[in-house]
Amino acid sequence: MSFRRPRVVRALAAVLALPVLAALAAGCSSSGAGTTADGKTILRYQGQAGTVTPYELAADLGYFSKIDLKWVGDTTSGPANIQAATTKQIEFGSAFNGAVVKLIAGGAPVTSVLSSYGADGQSFTGYYVRDDSGIKTAKDLIGKKVGVNTLGAHHEFITRQWLHDQGLTDDEIKQVQLVVLPPVNTEDALRKGQIDVAALGGPLQDIALAHGAIHPLYTDKGLFGEFDYGTYVFRNDYIADHQDAVADFVQGTARATRWLQITPHDQAVARLADIIHKRGRNENTKLLDSYKSSGIPVPGAVIQERELQIWIDWLVRNGELPAGKLAAKDLYTNKFNPYANGKYPAESGPTGEVVAAK
């Protein structure tokens, strides 16, 4: 598979076509899934198998008072998740900030309200090669294959940024092939020589490292340090019509994220495992054996302007976005986040005690 710019553009067509899809859905009400018998607003969402999201944790911790969550299935693709939110199949979605920027640049009326994932001191994505591959530099990847979970998202942006930083020309970068693979198959494809680099994160990274004979060529944390990489987005019409519900989602999810950031590891894992067992989706809790942290370095998942601006600049530099068309400050809001002022009056610790915000 040749990594040519036209192919990338076609691969991103689903993201860029979202405004059209949104327009087709414009006749639908923005009221979403309705309300519960006791008057709470129902927010439909797509989850992740074997994983507990911060908002699911927030619901279990009792941090929501005005909303009720309704799971409608799982997703492994950020662009697909925010497409579902834009076309009103669900109320909110999460994706890599570069994909969010492209979505908004294409005319989709959404706003980021809270960071959803990132790289902290313990959790990050690495791009691994076999020890016997002979691959040591970016130039060694010319004509080689990099296994990623989807195009137009985190793995592609990080890879292309690293190649650029290492001095490869645009023509050389186009010769590095991106191969889309299910995350669970990526390690096996690397070991069988079907790909030359494997993007691995979370439990799958730990499992692969335990098998040995691989090492990281580059990492997202090595590129940008501890950084929030993705955000939750809501449609602008939904925010306008259901501001109390969005505010409740943000404050509760922010507090749950902070709970993960300050709670001892074993207690956090026990709570997450309990949630998976209780929700009855026939899931395996094995992935929790490799849980390290929330992956979000910023207290309460507050969005920082640079976390979006960096991808605006990236797209401008690559000729995929006109200079001056977007400014990061216009793409997000922290007004619903109780941690936006840098502190929070009280937080519940792992055993219920009140602790000071940090």
Side-chain angles (χ1 to χ4, degrees):
M1 181 176 73
S2 178
F3 179 45
R4 309 280 187 212
R5 183 173 298 274
R7 184 176 180 86
V8 173
V9 170
R10 289 196 301 272
L12 294 175
V15 173
L16 294 177
L18 288 178
V20 176
L21 295 173
L24 292 174
C28 301
S29 169
S30 65
S31 59
T35 59
T36 62
D38 57 357
K40 293 181 180 178
T41 301
I42 298 172
L43 299 187
R44 298 166 298 174
Y45 74 94
Q46 294 174 335
Q48 300 170 35
T51 300
V52 177
T53 61
Y55 49 85
E56 290 172 316
L57 173 63
D60 191 69
L61 290 168
Y63 287 170
F64 297 138
S65 61
K66 298 179 181 179
I67 66 170
D68 195 33
L69 300 176
K70 181 180 180 180
W71 174 71
V72 296
D74 289 325
T75 183
T76 59
S77 168
N81 190 223
I82 57 177
Q83 174 177 333
T86 302
T87 55
K88 304 184 181 182
Q89 299 170 61
I90 53 178
E91 273 58 74
F92 63 90
S94 163
F96 170 61
N97 283 332
V100 171
V101 170
K102 287 188 74 72
L103 179 77
I104 297 173
V110 299
T111 296
S112 294
V113 298
L114 188 74
S115 290
S116 57
Y117 79 92
D120 62 16
Q122 297 173 286
S123 301
F124 57 91
T125 297
Y127 299 78
Y128 290 85
V129 297
R130 299 189 311 276
D131 290 347
D132 63 358
S133 68
I135 297 174
K136 297 181 179 179
T137 69
K139 281 193 174 293
D140 294 332
L141 290 187
I142 296 174
K144 299 294 196 300
K145 300 175 182 178
V146 180
V148 301
N149 69 323
T150 188
L151 294 178
H154 186 117
H155 294 166
E156 178 182 339
F157 276 65
I158 293 298
T159 296
R160 293 173 68 184
Q161 179 67 41
W162 182 77
L163 294 171
H164 172 82
D165 290 352
Q166 295 297 305
L168 266 64
T169 66
D170 288 344
D171 285 340
E172 289 173 330
I173 291 174
K174 292 174 186 177
Q175 296 175 57
V176 179
Q177 303 174 48
L178 300 183
V179 178
V180 177
L181 294 168
V184 294
N185 300 131
T186 306
E187 179 196 352
D188 186 56
L190 176 67
R191 296 190 184 279
K192 289 180 177 178
Q194 296 168 339
I195 57 175
D196 303 285
V197 182
L200 297 167
L204 296 177
Q205 180 186 79
D206 292 334
I207 293 169
L209 286 172
H211 293 157
I214 64 172
H215 63 274
L217 184 63
Y218 54 100
T219 69
D220 53 14
K221 188 174 69 171
L223 202 58
F224 295 111
E226 297 186 14
F227 205 71
D228 287 345
Y229 283 102
T231 48
Y232 296 111
V233 302
F234 278 84
R235 299 184 306 277
N236 295 339
D237 63 342
Y238 193 86
I239 295 174
D241 293 345
H242 300 87
Q243 188 164 138
D244 287 348
V246 175
D248 196 40
F249 170 86
V250 173
Q251 69 80 28
T253 306
R255 290 170 62 197
T257 299
R258 188 63 183 146
W259 186 93
L260 287 170
Q261 292 170 333
I262 66 174
T263 299
H265 175 270
D266 290 349
Q267 294 180 43
V269 170
R271 185 77 182 231
L272 298 177
D274 183 58
I275 292 171
I276 290 176
H277 289 308
K278 286 191 300 185
R279 66 192 185 191
R281 299 180 194 167
N282 195 30
E283 300 167 276
N284 193 325
T285 59
K286 190 68 176 175
L287 292 178
L288 290 177
D289 292 346
S290 298
Y291 175 85
K292 293 187 180 73
S293 67
S294 70
I296 298 178
V298 180
V302 175
I303 300 171
Q304 300 182 84
E305 187 171 317
R306 66 189 183 100
E307 295 163 352
L308 288 160
Q309 189 63 49
I310 193 171
W311 305 117
I312 293 175
D313 296 341
W314 190 96
L315 289 165
V316 170
R317 189 185 73 227
N318 282 273
E320 299 178 48
L321 181 68
K325 180 174 182 177
L326 295 180
K329 64 182 178 62
D330 300 324
L331 310 188
Y332 75 96
T333 179
N334 282 317
K335 72 176 182 178
F336 303 121
N337 195 323
Y339 295 88
N341 62 1
K343 60 182 180 179
Y344 193 61
E347 296 171 336
S348 295
T351 57
E353 77 276 15
V354 175
V355 296
K358 298 179 182 179

